[in-house]
DNA sequence: CCTATAGTTAGATGATTATCTAAGTATCGA
DNA sequence: TCGATACTTAGATAATCATCTAACTATAGG
């Protein structure tokens, strides 16, 4: 994982709403946008914007099928992000 | 770690400059502001602002001694943050 | 075809924020 | 006491960004 992707992920997580959205996606094998949005007080346009950020960060994969956009967490990217955060140079004192 | 602190940390990490600053602090037992700033192209005022955010997020401890402000990573908070991120509900598929 | 559903895009707006300058406080050493 | 160093605070500015509305594309089902 290069620095650019790392920072994009860090930024993507920094909005609570987007974090919640990612969290919902992560809990399922796959989820359509409309299901993500159910009971969230945001418009479809706003969701679309957040999804774009998550995809752009490499955290979410989007598969189109008919009218639907199915979303899935890219677990490999998530693991790599955690791993890089874990390697944060914390000198042992 | 409650949600508020979690989000404050997430936000604190989301600025690359601030992440770099935290990284420098983490590498040492303790570090003065002036040492953090050496060779960073920012003013003392900007550094002061970032330090305030890091302290506010609970990631950094500040100890005053004479003219100096000594900074230290709060390793417990960092561990708790990683631990909470690790518990992200990633259903196993 | 027509209508409803799913999602996207463009553009506007208001809030947040990273940064600076300028001026302040506090401490140290001569 | 004076000047230098370390840091903070207040206020301004410009950039970023979360959100909305309105209009769009595309698909599914009668």
């Amino acid at each position: 994982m290069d620095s650019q992707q790392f920072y994009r992920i860090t930024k993507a997580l920094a909005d609570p709403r987007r974090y919640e959205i990612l969290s919902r996606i992560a809990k399922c094998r796959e989820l359509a946008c409309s299901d993500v949005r159910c009971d969230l007080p945001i418009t479809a346009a706003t969701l679309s914007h957040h999804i774009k950020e998550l995809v752009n960060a490499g955290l979410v994969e989007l598969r189109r099928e008919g009218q639907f956009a199915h979303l899935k967490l890219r677990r490999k990217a998530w693991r790599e992000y955690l791993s890089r955060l874990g390697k944060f140079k914390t000198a042992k004192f």
Side-chain angles (χ1 to χ4, degrees), chain A:
Chain A
M1 160 159 323
D2 61 13
S3 291
Q4 189 177 10
Q5 196 193 352
F6 178 74
Y7 281 128
R8 271 199 276 230
I9 293 181
T10 307
K11 271 213 178 314
L13 299 180
D15 179 66
R17 182 83 71 200
R18 199 155 48 219
Y19 187 88
E20 165 68 18
I21 290 168
L22 182 65
S23 182
R24 287 177 181 214
I25 294 172
K27 279 180 194 133
C28 302
R29 187 192 300 268
E30 261 194 351
L31 206 52
C33 289
S34 37
D35 291 327
V36 173
R37 190 160 75 92
C38 93
D39 85 3
L40 279 186
I42 55 174
T43 64
T46 298
L47 177 64
S48 195
H49 160 72
H50 286 312
I51 295 298
K52 203 194 290 179
E53 294 291 305
L54 291 169
V55 168
N56 213 254
L59 278 176
V60 163
E61 200 180 315
L62 191 151
R63 178 176 68 85
R64 284 181 202 286
E65 188 188 325
Q67 322 163 259
F68 300 99
H70 296 284
L71 307 168
K72 197 199 296 199
L73 177 67
R74 292 194 57 230
R75 288 160 215 283
K76 182 162 174 294
W78 181 249
R79 274 197 312 272
E80 286 175 11
Y81 179 69
L82 284 190
S83 155
R84 173 148 178 179
L85 260 195
K87 289 204 191 74
F88 194 72
K89 289 260 166 297
T90 290
K92 300 291 180 302
F93 289 126

